[in-house]
Amino acid sequence: MKPKKIAKHIQKNPRYQAMALLTRVEGEQAYSNLLVNQVIEENNWSPEDAGLFTELVYGTLSRKITLEYYLRSFLKPDQSVEDWVFQLLLISLYQLEYLDRVPAYGIINDAVDIGKAKGHGGIGKFINGVLRNVQRQGVPDTSLISDELQRMSIELSLPKWLLKRLIASIGKEETVALGLSLFEPSKVSARVNTDVMTREQALTALKEEGFDVESSAISPVGIVGKKGFLAGSHLFETGALTIQDESSMLVAPSLRLEANHQVLDACAAPGGKTTHIATYIDAHQGQVHALDIYEHKTKLIKENAKRLQVEQKITTHISDARDLEQAFPSRDTKFDRILVDAPCSGFGLMRRKPDIKYSKNPKDFEKLPELQYEILEAAAKKIKQWGIIVYSTCTILEEENQQVIDRFLANHPDFETIDVLGSQMVPKAVKNQSVSLYPHQYMTDGFFICCLKQKG
């Protein structure tokens, strides 16, 4: 049976495309952040339509557990609904409950039209009936849910297992604040390439180009965009600017770099932190050695380095970070500084990648702490006397962060933790001489940074 031909004006509708994308995310375990830009480019929408599409995708995903709970109360028990219809209803529910730009009749009529166009008249009637009931009755009152963990899970749209871990780590009050903060849109931030210009010069140039930007309060080389697509700026194109979260801009300064240092970035791709490190290095005195296990990822590092005009300071290597002695076989090859930006579960990125909340479970990353520890062990053999290893992740789970550090220190009395340089910019996140940055504290990605010094 041939797929039904859908009118172009329906296919171009941001709500239709949001439904199609969320159906793919659910069915194929695809990553929404990769698909969103692709869909926007393909449809060549106005900024308003592109903004609506993005809002619908990320808003619906960020509140998925909440919206599914609401929707189930308007369906019969065990009622089977096609995936795309279910996603269309979730999007419409999100609009009805959380957006106020479009009146309810417009949201419902649009959903019915899409249902008829993709399905048939009966589906249109079903969608109309469900959404009219929502409009008449209102969504269920979650405060009536007696099980506290279940209620928190539905209200914060976080799985129960993750809630339990967060509550054990930071307490109930902070966990609620964290969960609510994930409903806020991500800030767009960028790092100024100080090899090319100062932050003040970059701010002036961006404002002249029409961008609404301000200085980051967290990083002295960071810019926060309140309006505008910074990756489309002239500064980005010419290598004076690169997109990077404010939290990850704290990593390079924490290495306490000097111009003549030999630095190893053990898990370097795609090269954001590598190129930041390079701005501290003099190409005639020092060098940044960027390592990744895959050749196509080392190509990304090279591309980023070339665009940011720091390629002469960076040498790439293809190798497993757990076997640095194979990558650098000479006993005399040791580094002043080593960055272990370890592979992790990525739970610090839940605001910009809400899929992570639902697509991962504890079994998916139970082996990660062992991998992270093995990379740290390998780094310890390649650091110079009095050298510094910085361990960082973009997760907020203690088993991937502080517990890995505790294990390493227990087995390496010749290392000690030292203060993270720059941590004074995020005082709420300082814990055990490390930075444990949670997404709600400064509205950044969640991040962990710990500095380990070889005592000699």
Side-chain angles (χ1 to χ4, degrees), residues 44-322:
N44 195 27
W45 281 315
S46 67
E48 292 75 22
D49 280 349
L52 174 61
F53 167 75
T54 305
E55 171 72 45
L56 292 178
V57 170
Y58 286 121
T60 304
L61 268 177
S62 69
R63 296 182 185 267
K64 180 185 172 192
I65 294 176
T66 313
L67 292 169
E68 287 183 351
Y69 174 76
Y70 290 162
L71 181 56
R72 290 292 177 196
S73 69
F74 293 95
L75 303 176
K76 294 174 185 174
D78 305 320
Q79 182 173 6
S80 177
V81 179
E82 284 191 71
D83 291 344
W84 69 268
V85 177
F86 194 78
Q87 296 302 325
L88 180 56
L89 287 169
L90 290 182
I91 289 166
S92 304
L93 252 176
Y94 174 71
Q95 285 184 277
L96 288 170
E97 287 303 306
Y98 301 106
L99 301 183
D100 56 13
R101 292 190 295 270
V102 179
Y105 72 84
I107 295 166
I108 296 171
N109 289 346
D110 219 12
V112 170
D113 288 345
I114 292 170
K116 287 179 181 176
K118 184 168 172 61
H120 48 76
I123 289 178
K125 285 182 181 177
F126 168 71
I127 290 169
N128 184 65
V130 171
L131 295 179
R132 293 292 178 193
N133 281 337
V134 172
Q135 191 183 19
R136 281 192 296 266
Q137 299 172 29
V139 297
D141 184 356
T142 55
S143 69
L144 301 176
I145 301 170
S146 57
D147 184 312
E148 185 180 31
L149 194 67
Q150 174 76 358
R151 184 173 70 252
M152 287 179 70
S153 175
I154 290 166
E155 290 178 346
L156 300 175
S157 200
L158 289 170
K160 289 181 186 177
W161 72 264
L162 181 56
L163 278 172
K164 286 179 182 177
R165 295 196 184 195
L166 289 172
I167 291 168
S169 178
I170 60 174
K172 194 182 300 179
E173 189 177 329
E174 289 293 297
T175 297
V176 171
L178 189 160
L180 291 174
S181 80
L182 298 178
F183 298 142
E184 299 296 322
S186 295
K187 288 191 289 185
V188 179
S189 58
R191 173 174 60 81
V192 178
N193 180 3
T194 51
D195 274 5
V196 176
M197 63 172 56
T198 66
R199 179 165 69 174
E200 288 65 34
Q201 289 170 328
L203 284 166
T204 300
L206 287 168
K207 287 173 182 175
E208 287 174 355
E209 207 177 333
F211 292 94
D212 187 1
V213 289
E214 63 184 11
S215 298
S216 163
I218 291 171
S219 169
V221 294
I223 284 176
V224 176
K226 294 189 280 184
K227 186 180 178 184
F229 181 54
L230 293 180
S233 67
H234 177 69
L235 293 192
F236 182 88
E237 185 183 336
T238 56
L241 200 71
T242 190
I243 304 303
Q244 190 172 347
D245 191 72
E246 292 172 281
S247 58
S248 75
M249 293 182 214
L250 297 171
V251 174
S254 71
L255 285 158
R256 300 172 184 251
L257 295 158
E258 296 176 16
N260 64 344
H261 276 161
Q262 294 293 322
V263 184
L264 172 64
D265 187 350
C267 312
K273 298 176 192 70
T274 315
T275 53
H276 192 183
I277 292 167
T279 63
Y280 291 86
I281 302 298
D282 185 310
H284 301 294
Q285 301 178 60
Q287 191 73 190
V288 187
H289 296 267
L291 199 73
D292 199 273
I293 196 168
Y294 299 111
E295 183 179 1
H296 70 277
K297 289 193 173 183
T298 61
K299 285 181 180 177
L300 281 177
I301 299 168
K302 288 177 182 177
E303 287 168 9
N304 272 324
K306 186 174 182 181
R307 185 179 64 82
L308 292 165
Q309 304 169 48
V310 291
E311 67 267 36
Q312 291 185 348
K313 304 179 184 183
I314 295 171
T315 304
T316 59
H317 306 264
I318 302 168
S319 182
D320 190 324
R322 291 171 292 183

Side-chain angles (χ1 to χ4, degrees), residues 438-450:
Y438 290 89
H440 65 293
Q441 292 171 320
Y442 298 95
M443 296 304 288
T444 65
D445 289 344
F447 222 84
F448 178 80
I449 307 170
C450 181

